[in-house]
């Protein structure tokens, strides 16, 4: 999904990056050409979790670095092996998780952990309602929930609403994106998943929930309904995206593994030129964010700040 023209164009429309592609022997690498106050550099993929690399295309990545040897480059990859490219710094950076199943029944009865299955049953007893949606108003409700979660739990700002509008235009309108939302017994929105389908894989791109509603176990039930939906449309792979390796990600990592996901290492590759970029502006922006989040601010103010500064966090 992330190594596509569509995803690359979304970041171009939102943040003003230049969408480019490198092509060698019919293999393409889509990347963002960024020019800003930090410098001029290439990112693969921009605001995406990974580029899939295996033995058949690792040489193309090597050529991409060598043909742009004087440009600062950062690449995020998912691979079963640690790549080795001359003069390129390679470091492990968390995990990519993916669930693969033959049928919904097989997943629920044989793949997930016992505790995960029990939490699904708890949600069913709590009369959680689920809706499958793809309208813009529902996406904005999801965005507000997502934004509050980033702010209140992680002390981070979300990507701007305009980024989600681009996802709506390029995926939802093309019947390749949708929401699965959970509602409490009173019909109040409590959690949701933003899903994107690319080819034969469904991507669990964003998840959001209201912290006070976690007693209903909505995320376990949403996963159950998501696997069911994928099975109904013939999609047998669900990519759960990036999970960090630090202790703060332990809960999320356990959730994905208990849902039956396989775990693959993610690596970040950088050339020496990228390491020499001036990141003083990032430090200043992070200081501004810390101050911003200590004040009582509206989502509109957060969105305005994000539209101005999130582009630097590529």
């Amino acid at each position: 999904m992330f190594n596509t023209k569509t995803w690359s164009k979304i970041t171009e429309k939102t943040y003003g990056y230049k969408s480019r592609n490198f092509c060698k022997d019919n293999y393409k690498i889509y990347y963002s050409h960024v020019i800003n106050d930090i410098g001029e550099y290439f990112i693969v993929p921009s605001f995406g979790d990974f580029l899939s690399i295996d033995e058949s295309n690792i040489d193309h990545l090597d050529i991409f670095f060598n043909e742009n040897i004087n440009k600062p480059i950062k690449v995020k990859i998912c691979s079963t092996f640690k790549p080795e490219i001359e003069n390129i710094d390679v470091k492990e950076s968390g995990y990519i998780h993916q669930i693969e199943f033959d049928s919904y029944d097989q997943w629920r009865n044989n793949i997930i952990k016992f505790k995960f299955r029990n939490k699904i049953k708890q949600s069913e007893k709590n009369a959680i309602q689920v809706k499958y949606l793809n309208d813009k108003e529902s996406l904005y409700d999801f965005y507000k929930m997502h934004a509050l979660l980033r702010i209140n739990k992680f002390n981070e700002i979300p990507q701007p609403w305009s980024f989600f509008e681009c996802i709506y235009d390029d995926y939802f309108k093309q019947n390749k994106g949708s929401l699965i939302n959970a509602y409490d017994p009173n019909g109040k929105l409590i959690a949701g998943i933003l899903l994107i389908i690319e080819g034969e894989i469904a991507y669990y791109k964003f998840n959001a929930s209201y912290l006070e509603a976690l007693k209903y176990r909505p995320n376990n039930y949403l996963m159950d309904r998501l696997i069911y939906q994928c099975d109904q449309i013939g999609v047998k792979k669900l990519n759960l995206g990036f999970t960090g390796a630090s202790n703060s990600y332990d809960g999320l990592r356990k959730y994905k593994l208990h849902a039956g996901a396989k775990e693959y290492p993610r690596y970040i590759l950088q050339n020496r030129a990228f390491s020499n970029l001036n990141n003083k502006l990032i430090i200043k922006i992070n200081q501004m964010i810390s101050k911003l989040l200590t004040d009582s601010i509206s989502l509109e103010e957060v969105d305005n700040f994000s539209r101005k500064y999130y582009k630097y966090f590529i």
Side-chain angles (χ1 to χ4, degrees):
M1 179 185 112
F2 303 113
N3 191 33
T4 63
K5 181 178 180 180
T6 301
W7 186 261
S8 185
K9 284 291 184 180
I10 282 178
T11 60
E12 180 179 78
K13 288 184 285 187
T14 305
Y15 300 109
Y17 310 145
K18 298 299 182 183
S19 175
R20 306 280 191 241
N21 74 79
F22 163 84
C23 185
K24 189 73 173 179
D25 300 327
N26 294 320
Y27 178 76
K28 285 187 178 181
I29 296 175
Y30 286 90
Y31 64 96
S32 291
H33 182 182
V34 184
I35 303 174
N36 58 28
D37 296 333
I38 294 174
E40 181 179 359
Y41 48 98
F42 296 166
I43 299 290
V44 185
S46 59
F47 294 114
D49 293 336
F50 64 94
L51 171 72
S52 291
I53 290 293
D54 57 32
E55 296 288 356
S56 70
N57 52 35
I58 184 64
D59 289 342
H60 297 87
L61 188 59
D62 190 349
I63 294 169
F64 173 68
F65 272 107
N66 283 317
E67 289 192 0
N68 298 284
I69 194 167
N70 295 318
K71 293 290 186 184
I73 301 174
K74 176 180 178 180
V75 181
K76 294 168 281 186
I77 74 165
C78 179
S79 173
T80 57
F81 59 92
K82 186 175 182 179
E84 294 183 6
I85 298 178
E86 188 176 359
N87 297 321
I88 301 299
D89 178 52
V90 180
K91 63 180 180 180
E92 292 189 19
S93 176
Y95 310 96
I96 299 298
H97 290 95
Q98 183 161 291
I99 299 173
E100 300 178 10
F101 56 96
D102 295 326
S103 68
Y104 166 74
D105 289 339
Q106 181 226 14
W107 173 80
R108 177 144 177 171
N109 296 323
N110 301 323
I111 294 180
I112 62 176
K113 300 295 184 182
F114 177 78
K115 288 183 178 179
F116 197 94
R117 189 180 302 110
N118 276 350
K119 289 176 181 178
I120 294 172
K121 292 178 180 178
Q122 290 175 33
S123 296
E124 291 170 337
K125 290 179 181 178
N126 287 327
I128 297 298
Q129 306 166 50
V130 168
K131 295 181 182 179
Y132 303 90
L133 306 160
N134 64 359
D135 62 283
K136 196 170 186 178
E137 182 179 355
S138 296
L139 179 60
Y140 186 65
D141 289 338
F142 174 88
Y143 165 77
K144 289 187 290 185
M145 180 168 58
H146 164 77
L148 289 172
L149 183 68
R150 303 314 302 173
I151 294 167
N152 296 329
K153 183 177 181 179
F154 299 103
N155 291 316
E156 298 174 354
I157 60 170
Q159 294 200 59
W161 165 238
S162 57
F163 179 75
F164 288 81
E165 285 185 298
C166 288
I167 289 177
Y168 175 78
D169 289 337
D170 292 348
Y171 287 105
F172 279 50
K173 284 185 175 181
Q174 311 305 320
N175 293 318
K176 296 173 68 176
S178 62
L179 297 170
I180 302 180
N181 284 349
Y183 301 81
D184 70 13
N186 296 315
K188 180 183 177 184
L189 176 64
I190 56 174
I193 295 170
L194 193 160
L195 179 73
I196 293 174
I197 296 177
E198 186 69 50
E200 298 180 347
I201 302 177
Y203 291 83
Y204 180 114
K205 186 62 190 85
F206 293 102
N207 168 270
S209 56
Y210 288 116
L211 297 177
E212 65 272 16
L214 294 181
K215 61 184 179 182
Y216 292 109
R217 306 292 187 188
N219 292 318
N220 299 80
Y221 190 54
L222 282 172
M223 180 67 77
D224 178 86
R225 294 296 84 196
L226 178 53
I227 295 291
Y228 177 81
Q229 182 196 29
C230 288
D231 186 39
Q232 291 295 300
I233 61 176
V235 173
K236 307 298 183 180
K237 294 180 181 179
L238 176 62
N239 190 283
L240 303 180
F242 170 73
T243 309
S246 66
N247 292 338
S248 62
Y249 283 93
D250 282 350
L252 178 60
R253 187 180 178 193
K254 184 181 293 185
Y255 167 78
K256 292 179 178 181
L257 291 173
H258 284 193
K262 295 179 181 179
E263 186 172 81
Y264 304 93
R266 190 182 81 157
Y267 300 95
I268 289 182
L269 286 66
Q270 294 180 184
N271 60 7
R272 292 174 182 173
F274 192 90
S275 302
N276 293 330
L277 287 172
N278 183 0
N279 287 312
K280 290 182 179 179
L281 179 60
I282 297 295
I283 297 172
K284 181 180 178 181
I285 293 172
N286 280 326
Q287 292 171 343
M288 294 166 64
I289 290 173
S290 296
K291 183 179 185 306
L292 183 74
L293 297 183
T294 58
D295 299 332
S296 179
I297 56 171
S298 66
L299 282 181
E300 182 180 359
E301 290 173 298
V302 171
D303 188 54
N304 288 337
F305 185 93
S306 184
R307 282 192 286 112
K308 186 175 182 179
Y309 292 109
Y310 208 96
K311 62 186 178 182
Y312 295 107
F313 290 107
I314 190 169

